Amino acid sequence: MGYTAPTPIQAEAIPKIMAGHDLMGLAQTGTGKTAAFALPILHRLMQGPRKQVRALVIAPTRELAEQINDAMQELGRQTRLKSITVYGGVGVNPQIEKLKNGVEIVVACPGRLLDHINQGTIDLTNLELLVLDEADQMFDMGFLPDIRRILQHLPSQRQTLLFSATMPPEIRGLAREILRNPTLVQVDTVAPAATVSHVLYPVAQHLKTGLLMQLLKETDTESVLIFTRTKHRAKRVGEQLEKAGYTAASLQGNLSQNRRQAAMEGFRSGTFQILVATDIAARGIDVSQVSHVINYDIPDTTEAYIHRIGRTGRAAKSGDAFTLVTDEDGAMVRAIEKTLGAAIERRRVEGFDYAVPAPRKDDEFARPPRQPNQRRKVAVEPGKGKRGHHVVGADRGAARPAGRTPQPRTGR
């Protein structure tokens, strides 16, 4: 697979995991942590029974679950160990069938895993290893209650590995609850990988798309990952790139799982040169040949910035990250620079006209105005209580009256 030497997280974590220790790993995206836990898991599971779920990896997104499963299958190709993914958005019956046939490794998202547990379609009584990957993102996405429910169904005698890019108090508390005398492995958690060169391009909001096109035209790119703040914008930028002649796809939450998978596979294989994504993909894309990451919109946190630009410069290759910033992004830029302890270089694109005035109404990526929802009146039926009230006001957004109109009492 091209590994000639372990990455720092692999060199530190693998011996500890093989020695049976619980482990808390702090490492940014792109440092090789998937192999850091996958290799010792595969090594251990080669000894012992087959066709039982002995290792469980929990991940926050479908994309990350697929990425981990791909690594398990590729690294374990000669082991005859079976690994499957379990997540929502796709049919449950194929998953049930695979579980019935017997697998040793399950890579799951919390919601669908709970469904299987509640329906009795997964047997976790023989579990030996639990991995919580990207624990901080699972907390951000509201999965912590689901994780706690899942833990109630797992054997207490197990080895537990928790990986996170950051360590907010909630994750630290969870680690104290579920890890026994853990070993801490920490690698470069507050800085992008040294292989990533990142710069800022100040620009007005209405000129972002034009500047993006100019950057793509003047830059020698191989595979480009573009991040936007919203699903709507990801779709629109993808469409505009296609119109400009680029092979591009968008990846965002409104797509079906099949279309998300097709976009990812097309990007990995090179069918699409450009993938436009929301943060749903920030930690779930493992494409070693990404040459450039472009932040069409700056992210909301320093951690998200580091994760995004960490999608390039992977596997010890060099990469470039460009971020388009407006005057309104000043506070976020300062926060990132404070965390990194250094100023980020600003650049201008020669020949690009920064003086083009904004249109009177900047309708780029604007949503069409929402039409008032005309609601019909509902007649009052005596004896219906609260459900028999009279609906007034034609618009959903109409202001409510200051007081409630008294209703005649019907008696009981």
Side-chain angles (χ1 to χ4, degrees):
M1 290 180 66
Y3 284 111
T4 55
T7 65
I9 186 77
Q10 292 164 2
E12 289 196 45
I14 288 175
K16 306 283 196 316
I17 298 171
M18 289 181 66
H21 295 293
D22 282 9
L23 182 135
M24 182 162 63
L26 287 177
Q28 68 187 53
T29 294
T31 53
K33 64 179 170 55
T34 302
F37 64 76
L39 286 168
I41 285 175
L42 292 164
H43 180 80
R44 174 169 172 171
L45 297 190
M46 285 174 67
Q47 308 299 321
R50 298 292 175 108
K51 296 195 173 184
Q52 299 176 357
V53 180
R54 298 171 58 202
L56 172 65
V57 183
I58 303 179
T61 67
R62 294 174 260 183
E63 284 73 27
L64 184 55
E66 285 291 350
Q67 170 195 316
I68 295 168
N69 190 55
D70 288 346
M72 287 285 187
Q73 293 182 347
E74 187 71 13
L75 291 165
R77 191 185 299 166
Q78 305 298 327
T79 67
R80 296 191 302 279
L81 292 164
K82 290 184 180 177
S83 168
I84 66 164
T85 52
V86 164
Y87 50 70
V90 295
V92 72
N93 289 331
Q95 296 173 2
I96 293 173
E97 194 63 30
K98 289 177 182 176
L99 289 166
K100 276 183 183 176
N101 291 335
V103 298
E104 292 77 40
I105 303 165
V106 172
V107 186
C109 294
R112 178 57 66 85
L113 177 59
L114 267 178
D115 291 342
H116 281 287
I117 290 172
N118 293 333
Q119 294 168 23
T121 49
I122 188 170
D123 181 4
L124 298 171
T125 56
N126 299 301
L127 192 76
E128 300 173 28
L129 289 134
L130 169 67
V131 181
L132 298 181
D133 197 17
E134 304 287 12
D136 52 349
Q137 191 185 15
M138 282 199 271
F139 170 73
D140 290 342
M141 295 173 71
F143 283 137
L144 215 52
D146 284 351
I147 297 297
R148 294 188 189 280
R149 292 188 196 101
I150 291 166
L151 290 169
Q152 294 172 5
H153 297 272
L154 305 183
S156 57
Q157 293 300 313
R158 64 172 190 268
Q159 184 179 7
T160 305
L161 316 174
L162 184 150
F163 288 88
S164 187
T166 60
M167 190 53 63
E170 296 81 6
I171 300 304
R172 197 173 294 277
L174 179 67
R176 281 195 297 266
E177 289 177 37
I178 67 172
L179 301 179
R180 296 171 300 173
N181 302 317
T183 299
L184 174 65
V185 174
Q186 184 167 356
V187 181
D188 298 333
T189 57
V190 293
T195 50
V196 179
S197 169
H198 54 122
V199 296
L200 305 178
Y201 284 89
V203 66
Q205 180 68 38
H206 68 283
L207 296 177
K208 274 187 177 182
T209 302
L211 183 62
L212 171 66
M213 297 294 183
Q214 192 77 12
L215 279 169
L216 291 172
K217 190 183 300 182
E218 296 183 4
T219 308
D220 183 17
T221 60
E222 297 171 19
S223 188
V224 185
L225 181 55
I226 299 174
F227 284 109
T228 63
R229 183 171 290 128
T230 66
K231 295 179 284 188
H232 177 64
R233 195 167 289 178
K235 181 181 177 183
R236 287 293 305 275
V237 171
E239 290 170 349
Q240 290 188 320
L241 287 167
E242 284 188 275
K243 287 179 183 175
Y246 293 98
T247 55
S250 64
L251 180 68
Q252 33 84 12
N254 282 347
L255 297 179
S256 68
Q257 182 58 29
N258 286 341
R259 292 181 64 191
R260 285 163 68 165
Q261 200 70 25
M264 290 282 288
E265 291 303 325
F267 188 54
R268 283 197 186 99
S269 66
T271 304
F272 301 122
Q273 180 195 1
I274 301 174
L275 183 66
V276 189
T278 53
D279 275 317
I280 191 172
R283 306 192 194 193
I285 294 178
D286 186 22
V287 183
S288 59
Q289 70 268 26
V290 172
S291 64
H292 291 76
V293 166
I294 300 178
N295 289 317
Y296 187 95
D297 300 306
I298 197 168
D300 295 329
T301 65
T302 300
E303 290 83 3
Y305 177 82
I306 292 171
H307 285 306
R308 282 189 186 181
I309 70 174
R311 307 322 301 173
T312 186
R314 296 170 70 81
K317 296 179 181 178
S318 60
D320 293 287
F322 306 150
T323 301
L324 311 185
V325 293
T326 67
D327 291 341
E328 289 76 22
D329 297 327
M332 192 65 243
V333 170
R334 289 190 293 273
I336 292 170
E337 290 179 327
K338 182 179 179 182
T339 299
L340 299 180
I344 305 173
E345 180 188 350
R346 273 77 164 166
R347 287 185 191 167
R348 288 174 66 87
V349 176
E350 292 298 324
F352 182 74
D353 188 358
Y354 288 89
V356 175
R360 290 181 185 175
K361 182 179 180 181
D362 183 7
D363 62 353
E364 185 175 15
F365 307 123
R367 296 177 183 272
R370 179 172 293 183
Q371 297 300 316
N373 183 24
Q374 301 294 332
R375 301 174 68 180
R376 61 188 178 85
K377 293 188 176 183
V378 181
V380 179
E381 294 182 34
K384 290 294 185 182
K386 290 183 180 178
R387 294 187 183 276
H389 65 281
H390 188 72
V391 179
V392 295
D395 295 351
R396 178 175 294 179
R400 293 179 180 272
R404 184 182 173 203
T405 304
Q407 298 291 317
R409 295 181 66 112
T410 60
R412 294 191 179 181

